[in-house]
PDB file of all heavy atoms in Angstrom:
ATOM      1  N   PRO A  89     -35.433 -24.336  19.620  1.00  0.00           N
ATOM      2  CA  PRO A  89     -35.282 -23.611  18.362  1.00  0.00           C
ATOM      3  C   PRO A  89     -35.064 -24.467  17.109  1.00  0.00           C
ATOM      4  O   PRO A  89     -35.763 -24.303  16.142  1.00  0.00           O
ATOM      5  CB  PRO A  89     -34.083 -22.703  18.607  1.00  0.00           C
ATOM      6  CG  PRO A  89     -34.043 -22.535  20.073  1.00  0.00           C
ATOM      7  CD  PRO A  89     -34.562 -23.811  20.646  1.00  0.00           C
ATOM      8  N   LEU A  90     -34.121 -25.373  17.119  1.00  0.00           N
ATOM      9  CA  LEU A  90     -33.822 -26.122  15.899  1.00  0.00           C
ATOM     10  C   LEU A  90     -33.468 -27.539  16.293  1.00  0.00           C
ATOM     11  O   LEU A  90     -32.525 -27.762  17.048  1.00  0.00           O
ATOM     12  CB  LEU A  90     -32.662 -25.464  15.146  1.00  0.00           C
ATOM     13  CG  LEU A  90     -32.400 -25.898  13.712  1.00  0.00           C
ATOM     14  CD1 LEU A  90     -33.607 -25.652  12.816  1.00  0.00           C
ATOM     15  CD2 LEU A  90     -31.208 -25.170  13.141  1.00  0.00           C
ATOM     16  N   THR A  91     -34.215 -28.489  15.792  1.00  0.00           N
ATOM     17  CA  THR A  91     -33.981 -29.886  16.130  1.00  0.00           C
ATOM     18  C   THR A  91     -33.240 -30.581  14.998  1.00  0.00           C
ATOM     19  O   THR A  91     -33.184 -30.080  13.873  1.00  0.00           O
ATOM     20  CB  THR A  91     -35.313 -30.624  16.367  1.00  0.00           C
ATOM     21  OG1 THR A  91     -36.041 -30.654  15.124  1.00  0.00           O
ATOM     22  CG2 THR A  91     -36.144 -29.939  17.443  1.00  0.00           C
ATOM     23  N   ALA A  92     -32.697 -31.757  15.297  1.00  0.00           N
ATOM     24  CA  ALA A  92     -32.036 -32.560  14.265  1.00  0.00           C
ATOM     25  C   ALA A  92     -33.023 -32.882  13.143  1.00  0.00           C
ATOM     26  O   ALA A  92     -32.657 -32.877  11.964  1.00  0.00           O
ATOM     27  CB  ALA A  92     -31.471 -33.840  14.880  1.00  0.00           C
ATOM     28  N   GLU A  93     -34.278 -33.123  13.505  1.00  0.00           N
ATOM     29  CA  GLU A  93     -35.295 -33.434  12.496  1.00  0.00           C
ATOM     30  C   GLU A  93     -35.534 -32.255  11.562  1.00  0.00           C
ATOM     31  O   GLU A  93     -35.749 -32.442  10.363  1.00  0.00           O
ATOM     32  CB  GLU A  93     -36.613 -33.847  13.172  1.00  0.00           C
ATOM     33  CG  GLU A  93     -36.550 -35.160  13.923  1.00  0.00           C
ATOM     34  CD  GLU A  93     -35.873 -35.046  15.305  1.00  0.00           C
ATOM     35  OE1 GLU A  93     -35.855 -33.936  15.901  1.00  0.00           O
ATOM     36  OE2 GLU A  93     -35.330 -36.059  15.769  1.00  0.00           O
ATOM     37  N   ASP A  94     -35.478 -31.037  12.122  1.00  0.00           N
ATOM     38  CA  ASP A  94     -35.637 -29.850  11.285  1.00  0.00           C
ATOM     39  C   ASP A  94     -34.530 -29.794  10.233  1.00  0.00           C
ATOM     40  O   ASP A  94     -34.790 -29.573   9.052  1.00  0.00           O
ATOM     41  CB  ASP A  94     -35.580 -28.565  12.130  1.00  0.00           C
ATOM     42  CG  ASP A  94     -36.781 -28.392  13.039  1.00  0.00           C
ATOM     43  OD1 ASP A  94     -37.884 -28.820  12.658  1.00  0.00           O
ATOM     44  OD2 ASP A  94     -36.600 -27.823  14.129  1.00  0.00           O
ATOM     45  N   VAL A  95     -33.311 -29.998  10.671  1.00  0.00           N
ATOM     46  CA  VAL A  95     -32.169 -29.929   9.743  1.00  0.00           C
ATOM     47  C   VAL A  95     -32.255 -31.067   8.731  1.00  0.00           C
ATOM     48  O   VAL A  95     -32.056 -30.863   7.532  1.00  0.00           O
ATOM     49  CB  VAL A  95     -30.832 -29.969  10.514  1.00  0.00           C
ATOM     50  CG1 VAL A  95     -29.659 -30.010   9.557  1.00  0.00           C
ATOM     51  CG2 VAL A  95     -30.726 -28.753  11.432  1.00  0.00           C
ATOM     52  N   GLU A  96     -32.554 -32.275   9.200  1.00  0.00           N
ATOM     53  CA  GLU A  96     -32.606 -33.439   8.308  1.00  0.00           C
ATOM     54  C   GLU A  96     -33.713 -33.328   7.267  1.00  0.00           C
ATOM     55  O   GLU A  96     -33.625 -33.931   6.207  1.00  0.00           O
ATOM     56  CB  GLU A  96     -32.766 -34.711   9.130  1.00  0.00           C
ATOM     57  CG  GLU A  96     -31.515 -35.041   9.928  1.00  0.00           C
ATOM     58  CD  GLU A  96     -31.746 -36.074  11.026  1.00  0.00           C
ATOM     59  OE1 GLU A  96     -32.885 -36.575  11.177  1.00  0.00           O
ATOM     60  OE2 GLU A  96     -30.780 -36.365  11.747  1.00  0.00           O
ATOM     61  N   SER A  97     -34.757 -32.535   7.546  1.00  0.00           N
ATOM     62  CA  SER A  97     -35.847 -32.375   6.586  1.00  0.00           C
ATOM     63  C   SER A  97     -35.521 -31.337   5.514  1.00  0.00           C
ATOM     64  O   SER A  97     -36.257 -31.192   4.553  1.00  0.00           O
ATOM     65  CB  SER A  97     -37.142 -31.979   7.304  1.00  0.00           C
ATOM     66  OG  SER A  97     -37.104 -30.619   7.703  1.00  0.00           O
ATOM     67  N   SER A  98     -34.431 -30.621   5.699  1.00  0.00           N
ATOM     68  CA  SER A  98     -34.092 -29.541   4.767  1.00  0.00           C
ATOM     69  C   SER A  98     -33.407 -30.080   3.516  1.00  0.00           C
ATOM     70  O   SER A  98     -32.911 -31.193   3.484  1.00  0.00           O
ATOM     71  CB  SER A  98     -33.200 -28.511   5.460  1.00  0.00           C
ATOM     72  OG  SER A  98     -31.945 -29.072   5.761  1.00  0.00           O
ATOM     73  N   SER A  99     -33.366 -29.234   2.513  1.00  0.00           N
ATOM     74  CA  SER A  99     -32.642 -29.565   1.286  1.00  0.00           C
ATOM     75  C   SER A  99     -31.159 -29.278   1.504  1.00  0.00           C
ATOM     76  O   SER A  99     -30.796 -28.553   2.443  1.00  0.00           O
ATOM     77  CB  SER A  99     -33.167 -28.707   0.131  1.00  0.00           C
ATOM     78  OG  SER A  99     -32.791 -27.352   0.332  1.00  0.00           O
ATOM     79  N   PRO A 100     -30.290 -29.806   0.636  1.00  0.00           N
ATOM     80  CA  PRO A 100     -28.870 -29.464   0.765  1.00  0.00           C
ATOM     81  C   PRO A 100     -28.629 -27.958   0.703  1.00  0.00           C
ATOM     82  O   PRO A 100     -27.784 -27.437   1.425  1.00  0.00           O
ATOM     83  CB  PRO A 100     -28.219 -30.175  -0.423  1.00  0.00           C
ATOM     84  CG  PRO A 100     -29.134 -31.315  -0.727  1.00  0.00           C
ATOM     85  CD  PRO A 100     -30.523 -30.803  -0.410  1.00  0.00           C
ATOM     86  N   GLU A 101     -29.388 -27.248  -0.114  1.00  0.00           N
ATOM     87  CA  GLU A 101     -29.224 -25.800  -0.234  1.00  0.00           C
ATOM     88  C   GLU A 101     -29.615 -25.101   1.069  1.00  0.00           C
ATOM     89  O   GLU A 101     -28.942 -24.160   1.504  1.00  0.00           O
ATOM     90  CB  GLU A 101     -30.066 -25.255  -1.401  1.00  0.00           C
ATOM     91  CG  GLU A 101     -29.617 -25.726  -2.770  1.00  0.00           C
ATOM     92  CD  GLU A 101     -30.102 -27.132  -3.132  1.00  0.00           C
ATOM     93  OE1 GLU A 101     -30.991 -27.677  -2.443  1.00  0.00           O
ATOM     94  OE2 GLU A 101     -29.571 -27.708  -4.099  1.00  0.00           O
ATOM     95  N   GLU A 102     -30.698 -25.560   1.688  1.00  0.00           N
ATOM     96  CA  GLU A 102     -31.124 -24.961   2.959  1.00  0.00           C
ATOM     97  C   GLU A 102     -30.118 -25.256   4.067  1.00  0.00           C
ATOM     98  O   GLU A 102     -29.817 -24.395   4.886  1.00  0.00           O
ATOM     99  CB  GLU A 102     -32.510 -25.483   3.353  1.00  0.00           C
ATOM    100  CG  GLU A 102     -33.617 -24.960   2.458  1.00  0.00           C
ATOM    101  CD  GLU A 102     -34.919 -25.722   2.616  1.00  0.00           C
ATOM    102  OE1 GLU A 102     -34.894 -26.951   2.823  1.00  0.00           O
ATOM    103  OE2 GLU A 102     -35.979 -25.067   2.528  1.00  0.00           O
ATOM    104  N   ALA A 103     -29.590 -26.478   4.094  1.00  0.00           N
ATOM    105  CA  ALA A 103     -28.586 -26.832   5.097  1.00  0.00           C
ATOM    106  C   ALA A 103     -27.329 -25.986   4.908  1.00  0.00           C
ATOM    107  O   ALA A 103     -26.756 -25.484   5.881  1.00  0.00           O
ATOM    108  CB  ALA A 103     -28.253 -28.323   5.023  1.00  0.00           C
ATOM    109  N   LEU A 104     -26.890 -25.807   3.664  1.00  0.00           N
ATOM    110  CA  LEU A 104     -25.717 -24.984   3.391  1.00  0.00           C
ATOM    111  C   LEU A 104     -25.969 -23.536   3.789  1.00  0.00           C
ATOM    112  O   LEU A 104     -25.087 -22.879   4.357  1.00  0.00           O
ATOM    113  CB  LEU A 104     -25.328 -25.069   1.916  1.00  0.00           C
ATOM    114  CG  LEU A 104     -24.089 -24.281   1.513  1.00  0.00           C
ATOM    115  CD1 LEU A 104     -22.864 -24.736   2.307  1.00  0.00           C
ATOM    116  CD2 LEU A 104     -23.832 -24.416   0.022  1.00  0.00           C
ATOM    117  N   ALA A 105     -27.181 -23.035   3.537  1.00  0.00           N
ATOM    118  CA  ALA A 105     -27.503 -21.668   3.935  1.00  0.00           C
ATOM    119  C   ALA A 105     -27.431 -21.519   5.457  1.00  0.00           C
ATOM    120  O   ALA A 105     -26.968 -20.490   5.958  1.00  0.00           O
ATOM    121  CB  ALA A 105     -28.888 -21.275   3.423  1.00  0.00           C
ATOM    122  N   ALA A 106     -27.854 -22.539   6.201  1.00  0.00           N
ATOM    123  CA  ALA A 106     -27.775 -22.491   7.666  1.00  0.00           C
ATOM    124  C   ALA A 106     -26.321 -22.461   8.122  1.00  0.00           C
ATOM    125  O   ALA A 106     -25.953 -21.681   9.014  1.00  0.00           O
ATOM    126  CB  ALA A 106     -28.498 -23.691   8.274  1.00  0.00           C
ATOM    127  N   VAL A 107     -25.483 -23.291   7.517  1.00  0.00           N
ATOM    128  CA  VAL A 107     -24.059 -23.301   7.865  1.00  0.00           C
ATOM    129  C   VAL A 107     -23.438 -21.956   7.518  1.00  0.00           C
ATOM    130  O   VAL A 107     -22.651 -21.401   8.300  1.00  0.00           O
ATOM    131  CB  VAL A 107     -23.323 -24.466   7.152  1.00  0.00           C
ATOM    132  CG1 VAL A 107     -21.815 -24.348   7.324  1.00  0.00           C
ATOM    133  CG2 VAL A 107     -23.821 -25.806   7.677  1.00  0.00           C
ATOM    134  N   GLN A 108     -23.797 -21.381   6.368  1.00  0.00           N
ATOM    135  CA  GLN A 108     -23.268 -20.076   5.961  1.00  0.00           C
ATOM    136  C   GLN A 108     -23.703 -18.993   6.948  1.00  0.00           C
ATOM    137  O   GLN A 108     -22.912 -18.117   7.310  1.00  0.00           O
ATOM    138  CB  GLN A 108     -23.726 -19.711   4.548  1.00  0.00           C
ATOM    139  CG  GLN A 108     -23.138 -18.408   4.042  1.00  0.00           C
ATOM    140  CD  GLN A 108     -21.635 -18.479   3.880  1.00  0.00           C
ATOM    141  OE1 GLN A 108     -21.133 -19.364   3.201  1.00  0.00           O
ATOM    142  NE2 GLN A 108     -20.909 -17.570   4.496  1.00  0.00           N
TER     143      GLN A 108
END
Side-chain angles (χ1 to χ4, degrees):
L90 193 59
T91 65
E93 293 78 24
D94 291 327
V95 175
E96 290 165 1
S97 75
S98 67
S99 69
E101 294 80 13
E102 290 166 324
L104 182 59
V107 171
Q108 184 65 54

